[in-house]
Amino acid sequence: MGRYDLALIGFGGVNRALAELISQRGDRLADELGFALRVVAITDLRAGSLVDTDGIDLAPLLAAEPGELAFAGLPGGSADPRNEWVIREVPADVVVEATFTNPEDGEPALSHMRWALAAGKHVCTTNKGPVALACRELKQVAERHGVSFEFEGSVLSGTPILRTAERMFGGLEITGVQGIMNGTSNYILGRLEEGVELPEAIAQAQELGYAEADPTADIEGHDVQLKVMILANEVLGADLRREDVVCEGISKITPDYAQDAVSKGLRWKLVGSATRRADGTVDARVAPVALPGHHPLAGISGPVNAVAFHTDLLGTVTVSGPGAGRIETAYALLSDVIAIHQRHHAHDDTAPARRVLQETSRG
Amino acid sequence: MGRYDLALIGFGGVNRALAELISQRGDRLADELGFALRVVAITDLRAGSLVDTDGIDLAPLLAAEPGELAFAGLPGGSADPRNEWVIREVPADVVVEATFTNPEDGEPALSHMRWALAAGKHVCTTNKGPVALACRELKQVAERHGVSFEFEGSVLSGTPILRTAERMFGGLEITGVQGIMNGTSNYILGRLEEGVELPEAIAQAQELGYAEADPTADIEGHDVQLKVMILANEVLGADLRREDVVCEGISKITPDYAQDAVSKGLRWKLVGSATRRADGTVDARVAPVALPGHHPLAGISGPVNAVAFHTDLLGTVTVSGPGAGRIETAYALLSDVIAIHQRHHAHDDTAPARRVLQETSRG
């Protein structure tokens, strides 16, 4: 059976959840998927770095409180994250990048990915910044080095959006995409419809863990803007920069506006969209839109997210599911490793997913 | 470039729409997909049969009115459908079965599929009957003969439901599926909510072309019952017969019921579901359910259909899209041929869908 050795870059919620999946269901996953997963390196800004090319014992790390984790003093450990050395030099098959999102220049994650790909390592990431800003370059680097660059989790966590676009629509044309891609703003819009004022709705979202301490990126649409760039570039083949995506948030929507819309059968939603124009270029924007009740995105409520694909042969096909969450986002990384396996081992195993499903479900 | 020679069994709306796609976009599809499509045989209960192993010229056939088509007298033509001979003896790569659905014993389509697979031909179908009744047997026959049996269009036309289940959820467990899988009954429920009585709502559905002259299969849930069997057997690995799926239709829902539910924030929907029980067996049923507004299926209105997958790692992921339509269903057949190509030519082309997408979208 094959095995993938992983280097986890960043050990916050998402990569920690991936380590939990590997630790708790690694054997079952190996039976299902036909390959084993092993973590050989972890780096983290606060915890430092830990390397064991025979496989790190994850259980003790996961037993520690996240804030208390310190790798210094452990065998193979250091207080220094040593990112460049770990990514370039430690033998690993896949570098899993899950550090913080930087919407300005994508750093330091962008450098992490360049180093990994240039070292002939596959890269999986949930990090929107580098994907939005440099996807084309990173895919070219990956291709030059015969490895894969996978990033399903950069849009709607583990909900299969990018892979649906890639695999499910052969032979037809996707003419545009529209999405509700930020659970915080979507939850807040629901509260506004119930008459709650914006500051209170934000506070409630923060209490529920949906919104961060600084909710600006959610409220002003900047988070969605990055996802629109990814969809426009990946699904419609555009090459947009951030300034090409007009961006308006929800801060001007009042409870009165929201309730007035409901009374007319409309729902205010923060919609990110990318649409092919007649001249072949792509119009991309983020803006609040009052959707009619029958629109496929009108019924998407609370933290649920959705993307509608508009096509020539099928009309509109919509995929909805979780937009965030530790485990849900870690699953995106697992699905990326599965995609890597399918792509690079297709000669010895052409349809693993199908077999998996039946074995699992009949077990 | 590879080529697939197709034998079309049944030349009603769906296979005719597939012939239109091949006739009108065959060259473009070949560029995108890396293979050409050619029709070498057509059989039809009324029109007879037509065989040309050098490829049938489709344009003149498509120019004729459907009801007036007669193959007798044409070179290679006959008034006799000659199904068994065509399926067994005429050289073809793929047999595309789109005759009428027989929910009792699946015939004659079931025999068509057995003949084709035993002759070493791939089978694509949109025909629910044989898939619901004999999917396991047909897949075994296909495997024995080294060919594929594909049937995406048997559930929700070209909306990718079965292939989403097969390809998008590796490594997690699907614990249940719930769907709105009949556009006619869903449209009628919407009319009931507006106060229209059932007979009038049925008449309106018939005028719009949603409902057939005999709407029983739609109204009483029998159509959904077959789709639930397919989902239960294919996605959850069950082996259910028709009598295992409890079936109740919408004929007892009155406008009063429907409107009263709306006033309480509920929507009556005809839900087909299959759920894994604690003992590993599968509970499958069709019944009207008053769904709360936040349920992912509550907002699915009119002729749109949807299937919600309940999973352990991602919670609920829902795919919605067209549930019927000539072109939409023909696209399911095209997606089946693409799947066959990917499976049987994976060694020379591991990721055609990805390349297609980018070439198309940048063109």
Side-chain angles (χ1 to χ4, degrees):
Chain A
M1 182 184 296
R3 187 187 68 216
Y4 292 92
D5 283 349
L6 311 183
L8 308 185
I9 310 304
F11 203 57
V14 171
N15 263 347
R16 210 178 148 93
L18 179 63
E20 285 169 18
L21 284 179
I22 293 169
S23 177
Q24 290 162 12
R25 353 180 141 196
D27 292 344
R28 187 180 131 192
L29 285 172
D31 286 345
E32 289 178 17
L33 301 174
F35 59 82
L37 291 171
R38 197 167 72 162
V39 176
V40 295
I42 302 174
T43 78
D44 185 75
L45 201 57
R46 284 180 302 183
S49 54
L50 185 61
V51 174
D52 184 344
T53 53
D54 291 329
I56 293 170
D57 183 11
L58 297 169
L61 307 185
L62 297 170
E65 286 296 313
E68 293 171 2
L69 207 58
F71 296 142
L74 298 179
S78 164
D80 181 346
R82 301 181 292 184
N83 278 313
E84 183 163 1
W85 174 74
V86 167
I87 292 169
R88 287 189 191 271
E89 304 297 339
V90 173
D93 303 298
V94 184
V95 169
V96 183
E97 221 292 341
T99 64
F100 63 97
T101 287
N102 173 344
E104 302 302 330
D105 64 7
E107 293 295 356
L110 180 53
S111 291
H112 296 165
M113 294 177 195
R114 286 184 181 132
W115 296 334
L117 296 170
K121 293 163 183 169
H122 306 293
V123 169
C124 300
T125 190
T126 61
N127 197 320
K128 292 181 294 291
V131 180
L133 298 170
C135 185
R136 188 168 289 202
E137 176 214 320
L138 291 167
K139 286 171 86 165
Q140 285 164 352
V141 178
E143 192 164 343
R144 259 204 312 278
H145 292 85
V147 292
S148 284
F149 175 52
E150 299 288 337
F151 43 88
E152 179 65 66
S154 63
V155 178
L156 267 63
S157 73
T159 304
I161 297 299
L162 297 173
R163 216 156 270 135
T164 292
E166 178 189 313
R167 296 187 184 180
M168 293 296 168
F169 297 130
L172 56 66
E173 191 185 348
I174 299 174
T175 55
V177 289
Q178 271 185 304
I180 293 179
M181 300 189 281
N182 182 276
T184 306
S185 56
N186 202 45
Y187 169 82
I188 288 171
L189 287 170
R191 301 299 289 154
L192 295 176
E193 286 177 350
E194 293 164 13
V196 177
E197 295 286 342
L198 185 65
E200 195 186 334
I202 291 173
Q204 290 173 346
Q206 286 167 329
E207 273 167 39
L208 286 165
Y210 299 154
E212 301 188 42
D214 178 359
T216 311
D218 294 327
I219 302 298
E220 296 304 339
H222 303 147
D223 172 69
V224 178
Q225 188 181 36
L226 293 176
K227 293 168 184 167
V228 167
M229 288 170 70
I230 295 170
L231 287 173
N233 295 345
E234 185 65 8
V235 179
L236 298 179
D239 192 13
L240 303 184
R241 294 156 304 173
R242 248 181 119 195
E243 55 268 36
D244 299 323
V245 183
V246 180
C247 183
E248 184 189 340
I250 62 167
S251 54
K252 288 177 192 153
I253 310 289
T254 64
D256 279 354
Y257 269 26
Q259 294 184 312
D260 183 55
V262 169
S263 73
K264 294 171 178 155
L266 303 171
R267 310 280 309 268
W268 279 104
K269 297 290 179 188
L270 183 60
V271 175
S273 63
T275 310
R276 170 105 40 224
R277 296 191 191 94
D279 67 0
T281 60
V282 170
D283 174 273
R285 56 187 61 243
V286 181
V289 180
L291 297 175
H294 59 78
H295 190 284
L297 298 179
I300 303 297
S301 295
V304 177
N305 282 194
V307 172
F309 298 94
H310 304 297
T311 77
D312 59 346
L313 295 180
L314 282 179
T316 300
V317 173
T318 306
V319 180
S320 72
R326 289 173 68 242
I327 298 287
E328 294 84 347
T329 309
Y331 176 73
L333 294 168
L334 178 61
S335 78
D336 285 346
V337 178
I338 294 171
I340 289 168
H341 181 73
Q342 289 173 335
R343 190 170 189 191
H344 293 269
H345 295 272
H347 52 284
D348 50 63
D349 196 356
T350 55
R354 173 192 290 265
R355 238 192 7 254
V356 167
L357 185 71
Q358 300 196 338
E359 283 170 11
T360 317
S361 54
R362 284 172 194 159
Chain B
M1 183 184 297
R3 186 188 68 214
Y4 292 91
D5 284 348
L6 312 183
L8 308 185
I9 309 305
F11 203 58
V14 171
N15 264 347
R16 209 177 149 92
L18 179 63
E20 285 169 17
L21 284 179
I22 294 170
S23 177
Q24 290 162 12
R25 347 181 147 198
D27 292 343
R28 186 179 131 194
L29 285 171
D31 285 346
E32 289 177 18
L33 301 173
F35 59 82
L37 291 171
R38 199 168 71 161
V39 176
V40 295
I42 302 174
T43 77
D44 185 74
L45 202 56
R46 285 180 299 182
S49 55
L50 185 63
V51 174
D52 184 345
T53 53
D54 290 331
I56 293 171
D57 183 11
L58 297 169
L61 307 184
L62 297 170
E65 286 297 312
E68 292 171 5
L69 208 58
F71 296 144
L74 298 179
S78 164
D80 181 346
R82 300 180 293 183
N83 278 312
E84 184 163 1
W85 173 74
V86 167
I87 292 169
R88 287 189 192 272
E89 304 298 338
V90 173
D93 303 299
V94 184
V95 169
V96 183
E97 222 292 340
T99 64
F100 63 97
T101 287
N102 173 344
E104 302 301 330
D105 63 7
E107 294 293 357
L110 181 51
S111 291
H112 297 166
M113 295 176 193
R114 287 184 181 131
W115 295 335
L117 296 170
K121 292 163 182 168
H122 305 293
V123 169
C124 300
T125 190
T126 60
N127 197 321
K128 291 182 294 292
V131 180
L133 299 170
C135 185
R136 188 169 288 201
E137 176 214 320
L138 290 167
K139 286 171 86 165
Q140 285 165 352
V141 179
E143 193 164 342
R144 260 202 313 278
H145 292 86
V147 291
S148 283
F149 175 51
E150 299 289 337
F151 43 88
E152 179 65 65
S154 63
V155 178
L156 267 63
S157 72
T159 304
I161 298 299
L162 297 173
R163 215 156 270 135
T164 292
E166 179 189 314
R167 297 189 182 178
M168 293 296 168
F169 296 131
L172 56 66
E173 190 184 348
I174 299 174
T175 55
V177 290
Q178 271 184 303
I180 293 178
M181 299 188 281
N182 182 276
T184 306
S185 56
N186 202 45
Y187 169 82
I188 288 171
L189 287 169
R191 302 299 289 154
L192 296 176
E193 286 176 349
E194 292 163 14
V196 177
E197 296 286 342
L198 184 64
E200 193 185 333
I202 291 174
Q204 291 173 346
Q206 286 166 330
E207 274 168 39
L208 287 165
Y210 299 155
E212 301 187 42
D214 178 0
T216 312
D218 294 328
I219 302 297
E220 297 305 339
H222 304 146
D223 172 70
V224 177
Q225 188 182 34
L226 293 176
K227 293 167 184 167
V228 167
M229 287 170 70
I230 295 170
L231 287 173
N233 295 345
E234 185 65 8
V235 179
L236 298 178
D239 192 12
L240 303 184
R241 294 155 305 173
R242 247 181 121 196
E243 55 268 36
D244 299 324
V245 183
V246 180
C247 183
E248 184 188 341
I250 61 167
S251 53
K252 287 178 191 152
I253 310 290
T254 64
D256 278 355
Y257 270 27
Q259 294 184 313
D260 182 55
V262 169
S263 74
K264 293 171 179 155
L266 303 171
R267 309 281 309 267
W268 278 105
K269 297 290 179 188
L270 183 61
V271 175
S273 63
T275 309
R276 170 102 45 223
R277 296 191 191 95
D279 67 1
T281 60
V282 170
D283 174 273
R285 56 187 63 243
V286 181
V289 180
L291 297 175
H294 60 75
H295 190 285
L297 298 180
I300 304 298
S301 296
V304 177
N305 282 194
V307 171
F309 298 94
H310 304 298
T311 77
D312 58 346
L313 295 180
L314 283 180
T316 300
V317 173
T318 306
V319 180
S320 72
R326 288 174 68 243
I327 298 286
E328 293 84 347
T329 310
Y331 176 74
L333 294 168
L334 177 61
S335 78
D336 285 347
V337 178
I338 294 171
I340 289 169
H341 180 74
Q342 289 172 334
R343 192 170 187 191
H344 294 268
H345 295 270
H347 52 284
D348 50 64
D349 196 355
T350 55
R354 174 192 290 265
R355 240 194 5 256
V356 167
L357 186 71
Q358 299 195 341
E359 283 170 10
T360 317
S361 55
R362 281 170 195 161

